[in-house]
Amino acid sequence: MASSLLSFRRRSANVGIVTIGLLWSLSAATAGAQDLRSYIGQKVVPTPDCRIMNGSQEVPLDALTVPYLIRDVVDGWLDVGPGYVEPRHLMTLEAALPYCSERIAANAKDRAAFNLRGIIRNERGDFDLAILDFTEAIRLDPTEAEVFNNRGGAYRAKGDFEKAISDFDQAVRLDAKYATA
């Protein structure tokens, strides 16, 4: 997870940050906790410049599984589990899907954008489209265990257990931390 999100952050600088579809604009982020509380329970993904903070410490992006679940609002920051995020650094799944597609249109070799779009499509139940995105991400970089793990999850959700096991096995061969997959 860390490599793809960090790659997602690094590569986005080359494409430019697209801010369409953010949950809140900078001015709306300061509107008050009551407005933000309506987003508790929503699933969101990070923008490329996202920083997760716990006190004065930055939490590694791989500490969370994408998509993030907003658990609470504390002093205008969103609680996503092991840390807090400024609202302007998150996108809804609906906003993130066209964002990823724009990144792919700008750079057809953006493995991280294909992976993130696959994650979003998988989350929405669009398993066939998710598998296509994960397959393209694998074609672009066949050394990323996370993408094999993600595609295996999509195959499992479709009921194609043979392909799921094959992808999970490959994820473990590439990175032993996926042994629990």
Side-chain angles (χ1 to χ4, degrees), residues 4-175:
S4 74
L5 283 178
L6 292 176
S7 175
F8 179 73
R9 289 175 70 189
R10 275 196 307 272
R11 291 182 188 184
S12 66
N14 298 333
V15 178
I17 296 174
V18 179
T19 56
I20 63 162
L22 294 180
L23 279 176
W24 308 269
S25 66
L26 289 174
S27 59
T30 60
Q34 188 58 35
D35 297 332
L36 298 177
R37 295 193 74 71
S38 66
Y39 294 102
I40 294 173
Q42 284 200 24
K43 293 180 180 179
V44 294
V45 296
T47 61
D49 57 345
C50 182
R51 292 181 60 207
I52 301 169
M53 303 301 292
N54 190 341
S56 62
Q57 299 290 328
E58 187 168 354
V59 177
L61 288 176
D62 64 349
L64 296 171
T65 302
V66 173
Y68 304 161
L69 179 66
I70 299 174
R71 298 169 183 224
D72 199 2
V73 177
V74 179
D75 295 329
W77 287 69
L78 303 174
D79 177 356
V80 291
Y84 298 86
V85 179
E86 289 181 89
R88 65 189 174 100
H89 292 293
L90 298 172
M91 291 183 281
T92 62
L93 297 182
E94 293 76 26
L97 193 60
Y99 171 80
C100 290
S101 295
E102 286 179 20
R103 286 191 46 187
I104 291 166
N107 178 4
K109 294 183 180 184
D110 190 340
R111 183 207 52 81
F114 277 106
N115 186 48
L116 183 57
R117 190 170 73 176
I119 291 169
I120 295 163
R121 286 176 164 172
N122 194 53
E123 184 69 26
R124 293 173 58 172
D126 298 330
F127 305 121
D128 290 327
L129 292 174
I131 289 167
L132 289 174
D133 282 337
F134 294 137
T135 300
E136 182 60 17
I138 289 167
R139 187 189 70 73
L140 292 168
D141 184 356
T143 66
E144 285 290 333
E146 176 198 4
V147 185
F148 280 98
N149 189 64
N150 291 343
R151 189 174 71 177
Y155 278 130
R156 180 180 58 208
K158 275 188 63 169
D160 192 338
F161 301 114
E162 189 173 310
K163 288 182 180 177
I165 290 168
S166 176
D167 276 354
F168 291 145
D169 286 345
Q170 181 62 20
V172 171
R173 278 191 291 278
L174 291 169
D175 186 338

